[in-house]
Amino acid sequence: MAMEDTPMDDVSDTDGAGASVSLSASAAGFVGPPLGVLKSGRQYIHESDIRAKLAKLDTDFSRDEAARLGGIQLIDDVRNALQLPIVTYIAACGYYHRFRLETDTKAYQWTDAALACLFVACKSEDTLKKSRDILCANHNLKSPDRITTPDDKIFDQSSKMLIGLERRVIEALRFDFQVRNPFKMLAKIVKAVLGSDANATSFFVDAWKVGVDMYKTFAPLKHATFTCAFAVARLTALATGRSEDAFTDLDPTEFYTCEEWVAEVMLDVLDLYTHHYRSTLMGQEINPQTFIEVKIKVNQRLEAAHIPRYQNFCGECAREGFPSPSSTGSAQTPTSPAGLNGTTVRGSKGQEGTFRFIFDAEEVHRERAAYDKHTKDEWEEWEEEVEESIPERDNRRRADLGPEPRAPRDLGPEPRAPPREPRGTRGSRGRGRGRGRGRGGHDRGGHDGSWHRGRGRGGGGGGGGYY
C-alpha cells in the first residue's frame, strides 16, 4: 500500500504582462489562507512507482534488500515469541514496507522500524502488547543466556524511542491502517479444487508457508487479495508437484483476477526463492533448482502469451534503468544513540504548513478544485493588430552625403614606457678608500646614467670605490 501526497501551496498574485489579463479573484489583492498539505492513501502501487520512490530516497539496493528481509524476519520472530496471530504479522509487514518507501533511511534504523511497525500493528489489529513486551521479546531472542522481564530498567530509554518512532510510522501510513488477509481466500481456493481431505490439508500447510514468504516482497502492495491468494496456490502446486494440472488449468477470472497479475506475483516470489531461499520457510524444504525450473516455465508461458513482466510499468523508466544511488549506512542495534537521534529528525515537508490526512482521494480533488477557484491565476491571451508608421527611405545619392567614414587603422599595441630611474635624496655610501673626489657624473650621493652605484666616498668620477 503506497501513499500519495497532494500539496496545497498558497498561490501568490502575479501581475499581467503584455497582452494577458488576469481574470481570477487574486487580482483584487485578496487570497485566503493556504490549505497546507493534503495527504491521501492509495491501496495499490505499481512497480515503477516503487522503484521511483527508492531512487528518490537515494537507497542502496543491496542494503535495501537486506534491510527488507531482515526487518520482516525480525517481525516474524518476535511475533512467534509473543504468540501473535497471522493478521498482526500481515499488518506489520505492510506497515514496514510502506514506512520504508516514505521515509529516508538515514532518519531511522531498520530494526527500530520493524519493532515500531509491529507495535502499531498490535494496536490496529486489537492484539495489544506494550512496547516493553516487544523490546523484551527481541532482547531475549538475541541474548538467550540473559533472559529478562519487561519491567527491567534497561528498556526505559528504548521504550521512549519506540513510542516516538510510532508517530513517524502513523504519519507514513496516513492514518490508513487497512490490511488485506489473503489466507482466507487461499483456504477457499484450495477447498474448491481439492476438497476437504487430508491431501488438501497438507497442501494448505505448504501454501501457508508460501504466503508467509510472499510478504517479504512488494507483491502485497501491488495486487489485490484474490490475485495474491490465487498466485500462492498455483505456485505451491508447481513447486511441490501436487495437483499441478488442476491449479494450472484453473481459470483466474472466476476469482476476480487475470493471468497477467498472477504471473507477476509468482515471479516476484520466485525471485525471492532463487536469490534468498535460505531466508524463507518454503525455500529450506525444496531444492533451489526446483524453483529455477518453475521460473523458466512461467517465463515461457509469458513469452508465448506476449505478457510483460510487470503490469502498468513505465516505459521511460524501463529505458533509463534504475539509477545507482550512493550507499547509506544501516545500524543493527535498536538501542544505539543514532536510532534515538534519528527518530526526532523531521523532513523538509514540515516547513510547508499544516498536514491534513484525508481517506477519500475524490474529496482531495474536490477541495483542491474549490480552493483553486479563489487562488489560481487564470490568463486570457489574444492577438491585436496595430498599425505602425514606416519612415520614408532616404533616396539621396551617396556622393551627396560626403565621403564614407573610414575605420581607424590598427596602430598596434601601445609602446611601453621606459624604465624609471631610482629616486632618493642620497645614495648608499661606499666602502672604498680612494682619495680622488672626481667631478664627473652626479654629485655626492647621486647615481650615474649607467645605473651603477658607487661604493666609494666620491660620486661618479673619483672615489676608487668598487661596484
Side-chain angles (χ1 to χ4, degrees):
M1 185 180 297
M3 299 294 102
E4 179 183 12
D5 296 350
T6 305
M8 303 289 290
D9 299 331
D10 191 11
V11 181
S12 59
D13 297 340
T14 305
D15 297 334
S20 302
V21 179
S22 176
L23 301 179
S24 65
S26 62
F30 173 77
V31 177
L35 293 181
V37 179
L38 297 182
K39 293 189 175 183
S40 61
R42 287 190 303 171
Q43 292 294 316
Y44 306 101
I45 185 171
H46 302 307
E47 177 68 23
S48 57
D49 296 333
I50 293 177
R51 296 191 180 188
K53 287 179 178 293
L54 291 177
K56 183 179 179 181
L57 295 175
D58 195 21
T59 306
D60 182 69
F61 305 136
S62 60
R63 292 180 179 270
D64 172 75
E65 195 170 24
R68 172 163 53 88
L69 298 177
I72 299 300
Q73 187 63 44
L74 178 61
I75 291 174
D76 192 21
D77 294 340
V78 177
R79 191 262 307 185
N80 291 327
L82 297 176
Q83 298 181 355
L84 298 174
I86 190 64
V87 291
T88 305
Y89 168 79
I90 293 173
C93 293
Y95 299 164
Y96 182 68
H97 290 316
R98 290 163 58 184
F99 176 75
R100 296 188 66 251
L101 289 176
E102 297 293 333
T103 311
D104 188 5
T105 56
K106 300 176 183 178
Y108 68 93
Q109 302 174 10
W110 63 264
T111 50
D112 300 343
L115 297 178
C117 291
L118 181 61
F119 182 47
V120 176
C122 290
K123 293 183 177 181
S124 63
E125 297 302 323
D126 200 16
T127 54
L128 299 179
K129 290 293 181 180
K130 297 181 180 179
S131 59
R132 288 177 171 270
D133 297 334
I134 296 176
L135 293 171
C136 180
N138 179 52
H139 177 270
N140 293 337
L141 289 173
K142 295 195 307 180
S143 303
D145 55 337
R146 293 181 295 174
I147 301 298
T148 184
T149 57
D151 57 351
D152 198 322
K153 293 183 178 180
I154 62 174
F155 302 123
D156 291 344
Q157 193 70 15
S158 302
S159 178
K160 295 179 182 179
M161 178 272 301
L162 198 64
I163 294 175
L165 189 58
E166 177 192 9
R167 179 179 178 181
R168 299 287 302 274
V169 174
I170 294 176
E171 290 181 357
L173 299 178
R174 283 29 172 197
F175 291 86
D176 188 1
F177 304 102
Q178 301 180 66
V179 293
R180 297 174 295 275
N181 185 4
F183 292 100
K184 293 182 179 180
M185 184 54 57
L186 177 63
K188 294 181 180 180
I189 294 175
V190 173
K191 185 176 181 179
V193 177
L194 301 179
S196 303
D197 55 358
N199 185 22
T201 302
S202 60
F203 182 89
F204 182 76
V205 172
D206 294 337
W208 179 280
K209 297 178 182 178
V210 176
V212 172
D213 294 336
M214 180 185 62
Y215 277 88
K216 296 181 179 180
T217 68
F218 291 115
L221 303 183
K222 299 187 292 184
H223 296 283
T225 304
F226 290 94
T227 304
C228 293
F230 192 91
V232 167
R234 177 176 288 183
L235 181 58
T236 304
L238 294 175
T240 59
R242 292 182 295 177
S243 306
E244 182 176 351
D245 296 336
F247 285 96
T248 303
D249 299 336
L250 193 62
D251 187 9
T253 58
E254 298 180 359
F255 298 92
Y256 308 100
T257 184
C258 62
E259 289 288 349
E260 293 84 355
W261 299 342
V262 173
E264 182 176 354
V265 176
M266 292 175 60
L267 289 176
D268 287 347
V269 181
L270 286 172
D271 290 340
L272 175 67
Y273 284 140
T274 53
H275 296 93
H276 305 280
Y277 65 93
R278 297 182 183 276
S279 302
T280 61
L281 298 177
M282 199 65 179
Q284 299 177 1
E285 300 180 0
I286 299 179
N287 187 2
Q289 185 64 29
T290 303
F291 295 111
I292 297 177
E293 296 175 357
V294 172
K295 188 176 181 179
I296 294 175
K297 293 181 181 179
V298 176
N299 286 325
Q300 291 176 350
R301 189 169 183 176
L302 289 180
E303 293 178 359
H306 302 285
I307 298 176
R309 169 65 176 86
Y310 297 106
Q311 303 301 316
N312 301 318
F313 191 73
C314 177
E316 183 179 356
C317 298
R319 290 190 299 270
E320 294 180 357
F322 201 17
S324 299
S326 59
S327 302
T328 56
S330 178
Q332 301 288 336
T333 311
T335 57
S336 60
L340 299 177
N341 297 334
T343 57
T344 59
V345 176
R346 302 288 297 179
S348 60
K349 292 184 178 180
Q351 307 296 333
E352 297 181 3
T354 305
F355 278 62
R356 300 176 60 227
F357 301 94
I358 300 179
F359 298 125
D360 188 6
E362 296 296 333
E363 180 64 22
V364 175
H365 294 295
R366 286 193 295 267
E367 285 196 19
R368 184 165 189 174
Y371 183 76
D372 288 343
K373 290 181 181 179
H374 305 280
T375 59
K376 187 175 181 180
D377 290 334
E378 297 181 359
W379 304 87
E380 182 179 352
E381 297 182 359
W382 68 85
E383 295 181 359
E384 182 179 356
E385 296 182 359
V386 180
E387 295 183 1
E388 297 182 0
S389 59
I390 301 176
E392 296 181 0
R393 184 177 181 180
D394 195 352
N395 295 326
R396 291 183 299 172
R397 294 180 301 175
R398 179 74 263 177
D400 299 338
L401 299 179
E404 184 178 357
R406 299 180 180 179
R409 294 185 304 170
D410 188 6
L411 301 179
E414 183 180 357
R416 298 180 58 182
R420 299 174 61 182
E421 298 181 358
R423 296 179 179 179
T425 56
R426 298 180 61 183
S428 58
R429 294 180 179 270
R431 295 183 181 180
R433 296 183 179 181
R435 296 180 179 179
R437 302 188 64 174
R439 296 179 178 271
H442 296 278
D443 293 335
R444 182 181 179 182
H447 300 273
D448 58 3
S450 61
W451 287 63
H452 291 161
R453 180 178 298 175
R455 302 299 297 271
R457 295 181 180 271
Y466 64 89
Y467 296 114

